[in-house]
Amino acid sequence: MDDDARPAARLTVLSGPSGVGKDSVIELIRARSPWIKLSVSVTTRKKRDYETDGEHYHFVTRSEFQRLVDGDQLLEWAEFAGNLYGTPRAQVEGWLAQGRPVLLKIDLQGARQVRATMPDAQLVFLAPPSVDELRRRLIGRGTDDEDTIRRRLAHADEELAAEKEFDRTVVNDFVERAADELVGLLGSSFLTPAQPPVSS
Ligand SMILES: Nc1nc2c(ncn2[C@@H]2O[C@H](COP(=O)(O)OP(=O)(O)O)[C@@H](O)[C@H]2O)c(=O)[nH]1
Ligand SMILES: Nc1ncnc2c1ncn2[C@@H]1O[C@H](COP(=O)(O)OP(=O)(O)O)[C@@H](O)[C@H]1O
């Protein structure tokens, strides 16, 4: 396919219930598919031990977050389980302008905002093999206290019911298989993995 025939890069949204494996899939993509740009969200949530500020999230205070909202610097934002999360606008718009494939890991409310404001975006739902397996993963991760797990599982019912609003579903049965399927969906809107552009 020559450059002119290549379809424009699209924004891809990855959503799914807490504990389904979004971070695990994204870690593999980060390591293996550097041509895919991963948006780094801002959040008021507390950092987990395995997270790095500026890589997994930009961790900010509520007043810093509010300043970003007031300045229209977030593409979308939402409150999830008591914390605020948002996508910085400038970086994503810059990558899309360069024709890069961009992946956003955002919740259902954020996915709906992107659908409304950027109708060309591709919405992908990451689904668990079963609800029991989702519960096992959330508890097994060991990062959340009992109350946080309860709140996240309560949200999961709503998120699972919204699967039909998404363009595609990827089942996270095995992380590597799920990551490959997702990269395939992103790749189809830009370059194939066999010919990645020079990463910057
Ligand atoms: N709307 C929105 N949701 C986000 C953003 N960043 C992360 N989220 C979502 O917030 C929810 C909670 O994320 P997190 O606290 O990292 O917990 P985890 O999903 O259990 O790992 C998940 O559904 C994320 O997809 C963002 O920038 N905007
Ligand atoms: N395909 C899978 N099979 C088994 N365990 C998984 C799989 N994907 C993720 N996990 C585990 O499930 C837990 C939650 O995964 P995580 O990536 O933190 O989910 P999310 O980002 O969606 O909240 C972690 O302990 C992770 O190691």
Side-chain angles (χ1 to χ4, degrees), residues 100-112:
R100 302 287 186 130
V102 180
L103 184 60
L104 303 185
K105 180 199 86 164
I106 61 178
D107 83 324
L108 178 58
Q109 305 162 71
R112 286 174 175 156

Side-chain angles (χ1 to χ4, degrees), residues 77-171:
W77 65 274
E79 179 148 12
F80 182 96
N83 298 302
L84 299 169
Y85 298 82
T87 304
R89 179 191 295 283
Q91 193 172 48
V92 169
E93 289 183 347
W95 285 329
L96 290 174
Q98 289 169 17
R100 302 287 186 130
V102 180
L103 184 60
L104 303 185
K105 180 199 86 164
I106 61 178
D107 83 324
L108 178 58
Q109 305 162 71
R112 286 174 175 156
Q113 289 175 51
V114 170
R115 166 118 299 163
T117 55
M118 305 174 86
D120 289 342
Q122 164 174 242
L123 267 50
V124 179
F125 187 79
L126 192 67
S130 69
V131 174
D132 278 352
E133 173 63 12
L134 176 65
R135 189 172 293 120
R136 269 195 294 277
R137 287 183 190 173
L138 197 52
I139 294 168
R141 185 170 66 190
T143 55
D144 305 302
D145 59 32
E146 222 170 273
D147 185 51
T148 305
I149 289 175
R150 194 183 48 70
R151 282 203 276 175
R152 284 169 186 259
L153 279 172
H155 257 289
D157 287 341
E158 190 197 341
E159 301 233 359
L160 289 169
E163 180 186 340
K164 54 187 176 304
E165 295 177 36
F166 286 73
D167 300 313
R168 309 293 286 254
T169 292
V170 171
V171 176

